[in-house]
């Protein structure tokens, strides 16, 4: 169900870290990455509850787990990631138990009876703002499933944000993955002057969830953007991740805009319709440059988005970049802890009797191959992210045997570094050509 990763040479979980850490602090950071899983989002929510319960529970005067500083998610995992951040910043005086917690309240009523009502008149659409920083609420269309089932979810989260007491100086960075319903063309200039048009469809939305005091002296939860150009510096892949910001006023994002993006990330094709929302991009036509919903250095756009797990179902690399950003501009160092939830990562898979395989040309065989390919596609970035951010590249060789395990590790590390150089030289725009 879950897997833990630590940056190379990292320490064990530091349960002494009991205070909220500011963005920019060099203290040990702890990240939770939540995969998409369609209906398994409810299953993951139970693990979410247990993890956060451990951050609130002391044993021998120490918290069992330290506070979560970064959380990323895709698809159903995006809903749980936002809920994780909100719950983390909620005051510990608010009751939190197995039968009363944010995750149970979100998922308890999301079942087939509500998603697929027997009577058409029971279909009730939800309304949200978020096309710009100033627009009114608008109806979100349904597809096969009825999003009215999420009305109570949105109401619950908004009530917590608007009325519940929050913890002072709480900062949690959240990353949501979304996929454009229609790909956008990008012209790349290669190192030798060649140009090529490529499709880009997968986008990453960074959000800071933080608390501040209102006019009545009460601590409340707020949302804000992150500087995209600064965040790009912490992407170790040399192939830029497509970061976008949600629309904002003085960097603060409205609750409705966060909900639109979260629901878009969980808009599994066919089951749910795409969701349109406004966003701020680093690139775009000059006609989009000036808009009050975006800062002057970004372009305002609108687009339809679908399931964020389509290309990156376990965004652990995005989490690593957010952790790096939070480390006051320093690179990842020892002591950074990552937990990622993946329902497909079964510890003991069920034994299945061998079955006669159908012909790969038969309809059944073709469907099977398609489904396997789709599953691999949804985890496209996981291998690269783990390889780049979490594989120990400094393992020393202890003998001169060219066939030893150590020698093979050293050779692998040299190949990895060479691969990075090739990527950088091949895919980065030519500086002479701007």
């Amino acid at each position: 169900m879950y897997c833990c990763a630590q940056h190379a040479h990292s320490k064990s979980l530091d349960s002494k870290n009991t205070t909220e850490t500011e963005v920019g602090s060099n203290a040990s950071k702890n990240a939770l990455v939540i995969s998409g899983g369609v209906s398994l989002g409810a299953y993951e929510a139970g693990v979410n509850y247990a993890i956060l319960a451990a951050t609130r529970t002391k044993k021998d005067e120490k918290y069992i787990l330290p506070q979560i500083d970064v959380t990323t998610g895709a698809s159903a995992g995006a809903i749980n990631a936002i809920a994780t951040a909100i719950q983390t910043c909620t005051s510990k005086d608010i009751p939190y138990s197995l039968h009363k917690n944010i995750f149970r309240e979100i998922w308890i009523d999301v079942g087939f009876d509500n998603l697929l009502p027997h009577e058409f008149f029971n279909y009730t659409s939800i309304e949200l703002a978020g096309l710009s920083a100033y627009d009114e609420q608008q109806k979100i269309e349904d597809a096969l499933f009825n999003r009215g089932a999420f009305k109570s979810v949105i109401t619950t989260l908004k009530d917590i944000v608007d009325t519940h007491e929050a913890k002072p100086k709480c900062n949690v960075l959240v990353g949501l993955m979304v996929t454009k319903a229609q790909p956008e063309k990008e012209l790349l200039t290669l190192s030798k002057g060649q140009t090529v048009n490529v499709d880009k469809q997968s986008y990453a939305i960074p959000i800071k969830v933080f608390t501040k005091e209102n006019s009545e002296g009460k601590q409340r939860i707020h949302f804000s953007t992150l500087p995209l150009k600064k965040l790009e510096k912490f992407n170790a892949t040399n192939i830029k991740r497509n970061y976008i910001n949600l629309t904002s006023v003085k960097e603060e994002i409205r609750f409705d805009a966060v909900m639109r993006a979260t629901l878009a990330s969980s808009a599994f094709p066919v089951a749910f319709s795409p969701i349109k929302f406004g966003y701020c991009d680093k690139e775009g036509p000059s006609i989009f440059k000036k808009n009050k919903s975006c800062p002057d250095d970004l372009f305002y756009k609108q687009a339809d988005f679908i399931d964020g797990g389509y290309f990156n179902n376990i965004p652990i690399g995005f989490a690593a970049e957010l952790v790096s950003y939070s480390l006051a501009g320093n690179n990842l160092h020892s002591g950074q802890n990552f937990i990622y939830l993946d329902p497909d990562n079964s510890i003991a898979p069920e034994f299945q009797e061998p079955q006669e395989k159908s012909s790969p040309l038969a309809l059944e065989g073709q469907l099977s191959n398609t489904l396997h390919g789709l599953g691999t596609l949804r985890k496209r970035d996981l291998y690269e992210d783990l390889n780049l951010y979490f594989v120990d590249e400094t393992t020393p060789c202890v003998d001169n045997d060219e066939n030893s395990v150590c020698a093979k590790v050293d050779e692998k590390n040299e190949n990895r570094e060479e691969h990075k150089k090739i990527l950088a030289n091949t895919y980065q725009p030519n500086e002479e050509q701007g």
Side-chain angles (χ1 to χ4, degrees), residues 325-391:
Y325 170 84
S326 70
L327 288 169
N330 297 321
N331 292 325
L332 286 174
H333 57 69
S334 63
Q336 313 314 317
N337 307 296
F338 294 77
I339 302 173
Y340 69 87
L341 306 186
D342 178 11
D344 295 334
N345 189 28
S346 302
I347 295 176
E350 294 183 4
F351 174 76
Q352 295 182 346
E353 292 288 343
Q355 297 180 356
E356 183 177 348
K357 293 184 178 180
S358 60
S359 167
L361 298 179
L363 179 60
E364 181 183 352
Q366 292 185 51
L367 180 60
S368 175
N369 291 338
T370 300
L371 292 176
H372 284 305
L374 180 60
T376 302
L377 177 66
R378 288 172 66 83
K379 295 184 179 180
R380 181 187 69 168
D381 293 342
L382 179 61
Y383 173 80
E384 283 297 328
D385 286 342
L386 289 175
N387 202 39
L388 283 165
Y389 289 110
F390 300 99
V391 172

Side-chain angles (χ1 to χ4, degrees), residues 222-365:
H222 295 260
F223 308 91
S224 71
T225 60
L226 294 183
L228 300 185
K229 291 181 180 178
K230 185 175 180 181
L231 183 58
E232 275 188 339
K233 296 178 181 178
F234 307 112
N235 187 334
T237 64
N238 289 320
I239 303 176
K240 64 180 180 180
R241 198 180 302 281
N242 298 315
Y243 300 112
I244 57 176
N245 268 336
L246 297 179
T247 58
S248 62
V249 177
K250 295 181 180 179
E251 298 183 355
E252 283 215 27
I253 308 170
R254 289 193 296 173
F255 173 82
D256 277 25
V258 174
M259 288 300 100
R260 265 191 182 261
T262 303
L263 291 179
S265 181
S266 58
F268 193 78
V270 181
F272 295 105
S273 63
I275 288 186
K276 183 188 295 291
F277 62 81
Y279 63 98
C280 306
D281 200 353
K282 302 179 299 298
E283 302 167 351
S286 58
I287 57 172
F288 294 143
K289 189 70 173 180
K290 297 295 182 182
N291 188 287
K292 293 181 180 179
S293 297
C294 297
D296 290 341
D297 61 336
L298 298 179
F299 297 86
Y300 169 73
K301 298 180 181 179
Q302 287 184 13
D304 289 321
F305 289 87
I306 58 173
D307 194 321
Y310 210 86
F311 293 107
N312 192 351
N313 203 39
I314 307 178
I316 195 168
F318 190 11
E321 290 142 24
L322 289 175
V323 167
S324 294
Y325 170 84
S326 70
L327 288 169
N330 297 321
N331 292 325
L332 286 174
H333 57 69
S334 63
Q336 313 314 317
N337 307 296
F338 294 77
I339 302 173
Y340 69 87
L341 306 186
D342 178 11
D344 295 334
N345 189 28
S346 302
I347 295 176
E350 294 183 4
F351 174 76
Q352 295 182 346
E353 292 288 343
Q355 297 180 356
E356 183 177 348
K357 293 184 178 180
S358 60
S359 167
L361 298 179
L363 179 60
E364 181 183 352

Side-chain angles (χ1 to χ4, degrees), residues 30 64 70 149 156 170 172 212 246 268 270 296 317 344 346 373 401:
N30 305 286
I64 297 174
V70 169
T156 296
C170 181
V172 180
K212 69 177 183 179
L246 297 179
F268 193 78
V270 181
D296 290 341
D344 295 334
S346 302
D401 183 359

Side-chain angles (χ1 to χ4, degrees), residues 126 128 150-158 255 259 263:
I126 59 177
L128 286 170
F150 289 95
K151 270 187 176 180
S152 61
V153 173
I154 295 170
T155 301
T156 296
L157 292 177
K158 186 167 178 56
F255 173 82
M259 288 300 100
L263 291 179

Side-chain angles (χ1 to χ4, degrees), residues 179-207:
T179 304
K180 268 194 176 180
Q182 298 296 326
E184 182 175 328
K185 296 289 184 182
E186 180 176 2
L187 183 66
L188 287 184
T189 302
L190 307 183
S191 58
K192 295 184 179 180
Q194 304 100 322
T195 59
V196 59
N197 262 315
V198 295
D199 288 343
K200 59 178 185 179
Q201 231 174 326
S202 180
Y203 291 80
I205 303 173
I207 300 170

